[in-house]
Amino acid sequence: MKKLCFVACLLLATVSSFAQHKVGSVTIQPKLGLNIANMSDSEDPDPRFGLVGGAELEYQTSSIISLSASLLYSQQGCKDNSGGFNGTAKMDYLNLPILANVYVAKGLAVKLGLQPGFLLNDKIKVSVNGVSSEVDLEKALHAGGFPEAKVSSFVLSLPVGISYEFNNVVVDARYNLGLTKAVSNVGESIKHNVFQLTVGYKFKVK
């Protein structure tokens, strides 16, 4: 029994060292990174590469668990380069991911949560024979044979990811799986799917 208690204490001591910050601490993390964004439909579009940036507030609730909330500007959408047509759906959002972070090793955390997103911009850039123009996405869909198409001003995603922190520098990789339609009434279930890679730096607030 004494040996079992000793092993349990060692395990607890090890686990307690996984998080980089003390229980009850609060940090803020400015971050900047890259989106590889796509949208789910039957046409198999190409990804749009875009920027993501903002700040994340994190509260260390226990030795291995923290809660975080972020405010991120995120460039999303997709591209279509089929049949001589060159178009880019440029859909930009203000995302508010709320995550639970579980530290499974020193500085290494897995994360899961929900991400509300609010549409800031929806345009489509089209290039035909070297001539480019940019128009409102919803209007373009109406003109293209989808008179009831609607671009949603609010979307919900499921972020799943992993991060590693060393000397307050955090590298974060996550996949945001779209749960709600970004565009409706076009005959397909069009949702956002975004791979996101960011680098940030944590500043202690409390």
Side-chain angles (χ1 to χ4, degrees):
M1 179 61 73
K2 288 183 179 180
K3 288 184 178 180
L4 183 60
C5 291
F6 178 71
V7 171
C9 288
L10 284 178
L11 288 173
L12 287 173
T14 303
V15 168
S16 67
S17 67
F18 285 174
Q20 298 280 345
H21 303 275
K22 294 180 180 179
V23 175
S25 65
V26 179
T27 58
I28 188 167
Q29 180 197 161
K31 55 168 57 180
L32 184 65
L34 173 71
N35 279 343
I36 303 175
N38 215 323
M39 302 182 76
S40 58
D41 69 7
S42 62
E43 300 299 323
D44 192 24
D46 296 319
R48 177 198 180 194
F49 292 85
L51 295 176
V52 58
E56 178 177 287
L57 194 69
E58 183 175 353
Y59 174 68
Q60 195 71 40
T61 61
S62 75
S63 58
I64 60 170
I65 297 175
S66 71
L67 299 175
S68 63
S70 306
L71 194 65
L72 300 175
Y73 170 73
S74 180
Q75 295 180 334
Q76 299 172 200
C78 65
K79 288 185 176 182
D80 185 357
N81 298 315
S82 60
F85 173 84
N86 190 339
T88 302
K90 302 166 72 174
M91 304 179 73
D92 303 332
Y93 290 85
L94 182 64
N95 289 334
L96 286 79
I98 301 170
L99 301 173
N101 310 282
V102 180
Y103 288 86
V104 296
K106 183 73 172 179
L108 182 66
V110 294
K111 48 194 64 193
L112 177 68
L114 282 175
Q115 177 178 275
F118 301 89
L119 185 66
L120 299 175
N121 173 63
D122 62 306
K123 301 288 184 181
I124 183 165
K125 182 179 180 181
V126 180
S127 298
V128 180
N129 297 324
V131 179
S132 298
S133 62
E134 192 170 275
V135 296
D136 180 84
L137 177 57
E138 194 168 285
K139 289 181 180 179
L141 289 169
H142 293 172
F146 300 99
E148 297 182 359
K150 182 173 178 58
V151 176
S152 301
S153 60
F154 173 84
V155 293
L156 190 64
S157 301
L158 179 72
V160 180
I162 189 169
S163 67
Y164 182 72
E165 178 183 351
F166 181 74
N167 287 343
N168 290 359
V169 176
V170 183
V171 178
D172 187 308
R174 65 183 68 169
Y175 185 75
N176 299 320
L177 176 66
L179 299 178
T180 60
K181 290 182 180 181
V183 182
S184 57
N185 300 326
V186 292
E188 300 290 342
S189 179
I190 299 181
K191 302 175 182 178
H192 289 291
N193 295 314
V194 182
F195 174 76
Q196 189 175 95
L197 181 65
T198 61
V199 177
Y201 188 88
K202 282 187 179 180
F203 295 92
K204 186 177 179 180
V205 177
K206 176 185 175 183

